[in-house]
Amino acid sequence: MTAPFHHVPVLAESAIAGLEIIADGTYLDCTVGGGGHSGLILQAAANVTLVGIDRDEMAINAASEHLKGYGNQVTFWRGNFCEYKPNPNLLFDGILADLGVSSTQFDVAERGFSFRESGELDMRMDNRQTLTAAEIINHYPEKELADIFFKLGEERLSRRIARHIVEKRPFKTTLELANAIAACVPSSYRHGRIHPATRTFQALRIAVNRELESLEKWLAVAPNWLKTGGKIAVITFHSLEDRIVKHTFREDERLQVITKKVIMATDEEIKANPRSRSAKLRIAQKK
C-alpha cells in the first residue's frame, strides 16, 4: 500500500466559511484525512492551532506531511473520534467532521473498500481492529447479513443477496463477492444506475467500522468540547448519516442550528470532484 494518500476536501469553501475561523482560535478536525480541510482552517486566520484526528494510519502520516509547515500549531491523535478525550482545560472554537471515505481508501485495492479491482475483504479504517468484511461475509448468519444490507445499505434485495452469499461462501476477494451479488439479482438491477453490489459494500463498510454507532456517540459528546458560540460542522455522504446529524442538531439543547437548509455542492464542484455529489453540510453553534 504505497500509494500516496489522496482526498479532495469537499464543500471546503462552505465549511470554512461556516466555521468562521478566528485569529488565535483552536480547532478540531475529527476526520483529518490527508489534511485538506485542516490546511484551509490553519491558513484562514493568524496563529490558529488545530488537533487532527483519524483512525487511519495512512491518513495521519499524510496529514503530518501536508501540514508540517505549521509546526507545533498542529497535533494529531489516532483513533475513533467518538473515543477522543480532549484536555479538560481545552475548549475549541470550531469542530469539523467530514464523514466521507477518502479517495485512497477506495483506490488502494488491498484495503477492500472497492470492487473496481480485486482486493482482500478488509474495509477496516483502523487496521488495529480485528473485525473485517471477510469475517462478516463468511461467518455471520444469513438473517444478520440481510439485516446489515437492508439497514445500513438500504438494499431492497437484501434477503436474496444474503441467501446467495451464504450458499456460495467462503469469499476471499472483493471481486468474487461483487460478482456473486451481480449474479443473483435480476438483469434490470444489474444494468441500473449503480453497480448491484454498491449498497452491499456500503453496508459492510459501515458495519465493519461501526460508523453510525460512532457518529451517534460522537455527536453526544462533541458539543461539550466547544466554547460558547463555537461552531460544529459535519459533512455527510448518505441519508443514514445525514438523518442522524439533522435530528441530533435539532434536538440537542446545547446547540442552535445554523444551516436551516442543508448545504450541498455546486455544479462546478461536482464537475471538478464527482464524489462531492452526495455531500451534505450541516452546521450548529454552541449556545
Side-chain angles (χ1 to χ4, degrees):
M1 292 187 281
T2 57
F5 196 97
H6 177 67
H7 181 62
V8 178
V10 301
L11 295 172
E13 191 174 315
S14 299
I16 301 307
L19 286 170
E20 296 184 308
I21 312 301
I22 59 172
D24 302 304
T26 303
Y27 293 85
L28 176 64
D29 187 343
C30 287
T31 49
V32 75
H37 282 117
S38 289
L40 296 172
I41 291 171
L42 287 159
Q43 70 184 40
N47 301 316
V48 167
T49 56
L50 180 136
V51 177
I53 295 175
D54 212 288
R55 290 197 258 187
D56 192 321
E57 184 179 23
M58 289 176 68
I60 293 286
N61 292 340
S64 299
E65 179 64 24
H66 180 64
L67 303 173
K68 64 182 180 182
Y70 290 96
N72 60 10
Q73 287 176 252
V74 184
T75 55
F76 295 98
W77 185 82
R78 184 184 173 200
N80 188 325
F81 61 4
C82 74
E83 296 169 356
Y84 177 63
K85 290 181 173 57
N87 184 319
N89 300 318
L90 176 64
L91 290 175
F92 296 98
D93 293 286
I95 298 174
L96 173 68
D98 170 2
L99 304 180
V101 179
S102 75
S103 299
T104 301
Q105 288 166 329
F106 273 126
D107 294 343
V108 176
E110 302 99 295
R111 306 222 36 191
F113 286 95
S114 171
F115 45 79
R116 287 197 300 266
E117 297 178 55
S118 186
E120 292 183 20
L121 284 164
D122 192 328
M123 298 195 189
R124 292 174 296 171
M125 291 180 178
D126 187 339
N127 60 13
R128 296 172 298 184
Q129 77 174 46
T130 56
L131 181 64
T132 65
E135 172 69 21
I136 293 174
I137 283 297
N138 291 322
H139 298 288
Y140 278 27
E142 181 182 322
K143 184 183 184 304
E144 194 167 350
L145 287 177
D147 287 346
I148 287 171
F149 302 157
F150 183 74
K151 293 175 182 175
L152 303 183
E154 299 179 297
E155 172 54 73
R156 63 184 179 85
L157 297 182
S158 57
R159 290 179 181 174
R160 179 191 293 215
I161 292 170
R163 183 164 57 248
H164 189 71
I165 285 171
V166 170
E167 288 172 356
K168 299 295 183 181
R169 65 190 186 188
F171 293 93
K172 290 185 177 179
T173 71
T174 54
L175 273 185
E176 286 175 0
L177 178 60
N179 291 338
I181 293 168
C184 79
V185 299
S187 60
S188 59
Y189 209 71
R190 281 198 297 276
H191 300 107
R193 187 175 58 84
I194 61 172
H195 190 285
T198 300
R199 294 185 185 90
T200 300
F201 269 65
Q202 173 187 299
L204 276 173
R205 190 201 79 225
I206 292 172
V208 168
N209 297 290
R210 298 181 297 114
E211 292 178 31
L212 300 186
E213 176 189 340
S214 296
L215 176 59
E216 289 174 341
K217 282 185 176 179
W218 174 74
L219 285 168
V221 295
N224 296 333
W225 307 340
L226 281 169
K227 295 177 183 176
T228 300
K231 306 279 180 50
I232 180 169
V234 185
I235 300 170
T236 62
F237 286 82
H238 55 76
S239 59
L240 298 171
E241 291 174 336
D242 182 59
R243 203 174 298 134
I244 291 170
V245 175
K246 178 182 178 180
H247 291 301
T248 302
F249 277 5
R250 184 187 295 163
E251 295 164 11
D252 194 322
E253 295 181 352
R254 296 167 295 181
L255 299 174
Q256 176 69 45
V257 175
I258 300 297
T259 47
K260 301 300 183 186
K261 185 178 180 183
V262 69
I263 297 171
M264 301 181 71
T266 62
D267 291 341
E268 290 78 13
E269 180 172 2
I270 292 170
K271 187 175 181 182
N273 179 16
R275 285 180 177 166
S276 67
R277 179 177 283 106
S278 56
K280 293 181 178 180
L281 169 65
R282 296 186 187 275
I283 303 169
Q285 185 172 30
K286 178 75 171 288
K287 292 179 182 177

